[in-house]
Amino acid sequence: MIDFRTVHVTAFIYACLGLYMLLIHRSTPGLRGVRQIIYGYAAFASGVELLALRNLIPDFFSITVANSILILMNVFLYWGIAELLDLRPQRWLLPASVISAATVSLYSSYVQHNVSTRIIATSVIAVVQYGLIVHMLSGPGPQRIHRARRGLAVLFTLYAALNIFRAWGAYRHDPRSLISSAPTSTFSFLTPILIGVMTALGVIWLAMAQLQHELEAQSQTDSLTGLLNRRALEEIGSQAIEVARRHSVALSLIILDLDRFKSINDEHGHDGGDAVLQHAARCLRANVREEDHIARLGGEEFVVVLPGASPVHAAQIAEELRQCLATLTVAHLSQEIRLSASFGVATMLPSDTTWLEILRRGDRALYLAKEQGRDRVAVL
């Protein structure tokens, strides 16, 4: 027979873990996904408590309702991790899991009383749920959270393997004889507790890594345009010249300045100037390659880093950007704002040792474009 005291202990530990994560959630603003994980631990603790009331309450509640609630934990884990990673979860998972668990419990309790069937079916449901979580964690993502995602994926893969082992044991043996043996009783008692603790630690690790990644991204992003800022540009530029020198490939940059931007601010106000900067940023993003980097250097100046681009190719990209801005019309307060920009293009020379040398040469090309009449591209 199951020692129901150990079941109470398991429920208590899950409740404590849920409370611990609630405190972390309340004390760490911006931490997404943890709320759903807390719901999962609360559901598991409630389901385990219903199991512990076996023979004291109707079997419908201690078996059917209990198994349906227990299966909710993995659903909330899936939803919480999806929100944490800013991914779209599969909404059908909740009703499908609950309906499947309830159907199996009702069938094995009232139609054909068979504990093995219930164990096998609930294990299969759990394996499918873990598989969806592992698939989600194994997708592409930022390097900063790569290790945390892979570690949690390995953990859920282990849980799936344990459920496969559990289903196989129920298929080959009488489950009650397995539970009654001392080693298996200890294993059955410790396994859910270890799973609860390891999952909580893994989720917190992933949440903290994701939060750190987002904070770093915010510190490197211009709040008005959503482009990289000067700090991020310096880091990317230094890395780009190092890679270009190591692999002997070309590296070019474009520096551009919106023409007569002060006049736009004077005539349309700073709100109009901000709208122009935002539209210009969208125009730049839409007309560069995926591997290129765009940053707002300050004010109305922007820089585009072009890894692998030759001088001719960089000049072509600059001309496409010039045409895009020249045809851009920004609607602001029932008025239309037209704009243009001057472009300077520079390419890394064999003698260049720092990123600033290329940037200075691009700056000189920009001033040359302005001296020649603005709204044009100059190359140095």
Side-chain angles (χ1 to χ4, degrees), residues 119-164:
I119 291 176
I120 293 171
T122 54
S123 297
V124 169
I125 295 172
V127 168
V128 172
Q129 292 174 325
Y130 290 139
L132 290 171
I133 295 175
V134 170
H135 179 265
M136 179 171 57
L137 288 168
S138 301
Q143 187 63 32
R144 163 65 69 180
I145 64 171
H146 176 81
R147 186 174 298 177
R149 290 180 66 160
R150 294 300 181 266
L152 205 54
V154 169
L155 203 58
F156 282 108
T157 301
L158 176 62
Y159 299 162
L162 288 174
N163 275 274
I164 293 173

Side-chain angles (χ1 to χ4, degrees), residues 72-149:
L72 282 178
M73 180 179 184
N74 294 334
V75 177
F76 284 120
L77 285 175
Y78 174 82
W79 281 359
I81 293 172
E83 181 176 339
L84 198 159
L85 298 177
D86 199 22
L87 299 174
R88 180 176 295 180
Q90 302 291 338
R91 293 296 178 185
W92 54 264
L93 186 60
L94 176 61
S97 300
V98 173
I99 292 173
S100 300
T103 301
V104 168
S105 297
L106 288 170
Y107 178 82
S108 60
S109 299
Y110 298 102
V111 178
Q112 182 180 2
H113 185 74
N114 191 320
V115 177
S116 295
T117 300
R118 184 166 65 244
I119 291 176
I120 293 171
T122 54
S123 297
V124 169
I125 295 172
V127 168
V128 172
Q129 292 174 325
Y130 290 139
L132 290 171
I133 295 175
V134 170
H135 179 265
M136 179 171 57
L137 288 168
S138 301
Q143 187 63 32
R144 163 65 69 180
I145 64 171
H146 176 81
R147 186 174 298 177
R149 290 180 66 160

Side-chain angles (χ1 to χ4, degrees), residues 12 30 58 69 87 117 128 160 176 189 193 228-229 231 281 290 309 330-331 338 344 371 375:
F12 175 75
I69 293 177
L87 299 174
T117 300
V128 172
R176 287 169 294 185
F189 170 59
I193 295 176
L228 299 173
N229 58 20
R231 173 186 173 184
E290 185 176 350
V330 179
R338 301 297 300 270
E371 289 177 356
D375 191 21

Side-chain angles (χ1 to χ4, degrees), residues 272-286:
D274 289 348
V276 166
L277 290 172
Q278 291 170 337
H279 280 76
R282 285 195 285 269
C283 175
L284 297 176
R285 273 196 298 261

Side-chain angles (χ1 to χ4, degrees), residues 63-276:
I63 298 178
T64 304
V65 175
N67 279 284
S68 301
I69 293 177
L70 287 174
I71 215 72
L72 282 178
M73 180 179 184
N74 294 334
V75 177
F76 284 120
L77 285 175
Y78 174 82
W79 281 359
I81 293 172
E83 181 176 339
L84 198 159
L85 298 177
D86 199 22
L87 299 174
R88 180 176 295 180
Q90 302 291 338
R91 293 296 178 185
W92 54 264
L93 186 60
L94 176 61
S97 300
V98 173
I99 292 173
S100 300
T103 301
V104 168
S105 297
L106 288 170
Y107 178 82
S108 60
S109 299
Y110 298 102
V111 178
Q112 182 180 2
H113 185 74
N114 191 320
V115 177
S116 295
T117 300
R118 184 166 65 244
I119 291 176
I120 293 171
T122 54
S123 297
V124 169
I125 295 172
V127 168
V128 172
Q129 292 174 325
Y130 290 139
L132 290 171
I133 295 175
V134 170
H135 179 265
M136 179 171 57
L137 288 168
S138 301
Q143 187 63 32
R144 163 65 69 180
I145 64 171
H146 176 81
R147 186 174 298 177
R149 290 180 66 160
R150 294 300 181 266
L152 205 54
V154 169
L155 203 58
F156 282 108
T157 301
L158 176 62
Y159 299 162
L162 288 174
N163 275 274
I164 293 173
F165 173 78
R166 179 170 175 258
W168 178 253
Y171 174 75
R172 294 292 301 273
H173 305 282
D174 179 4
R176 287 169 294 185
S177 65
L178 288 173
I179 294 173
S180 63
S181 62
T184 310
S185 294
T186 304
F187 180 77
S188 300
F189 170 59
L190 291 178
T191 298
I193 295 176
L194 289 174
I195 287 176
V197 172
M198 293 172 70
T199 301
L201 293 176
V203 168
I204 292 170
W205 179 24
L206 179 61
M208 292 302 182
Q210 178 71 14
L211 182 60
Q212 185 177 6
H213 165 72
E214 292 175 357
L215 292 175
E216 288 178 355
Q218 290 175 12
S219 70
Q220 295 182 338
T221 303
D222 176 62
S223 58
L224 177 63
T225 62
L227 301 178
L228 299 173
N229 58 20
R230 179 186 286 269
R231 173 186 173 184
L233 175 64
E234 292 176 354
E235 294 181 5
I236 288 172
S238 299
Q239 294 171 2
I241 193 171
E242 182 180 341
V243 171
R245 289 173 62 85
R246 186 187 308 125
H247 298 284
S248 299
V249 296
L251 172 64
S252 299
L253 69 81
I254 300 170
I255 181 168
L256 65 118
D257 187 271
L258 299 182
D259 296 330
R260 299 182 178 87
F261 185 73
K262 184 179 184 300
S263 299
I264 294 176
N265 271 334
D266 292 341
E267 184 177 350
H268 301 279
H270 289 288
D271 288 344
D274 289 348
V276 166

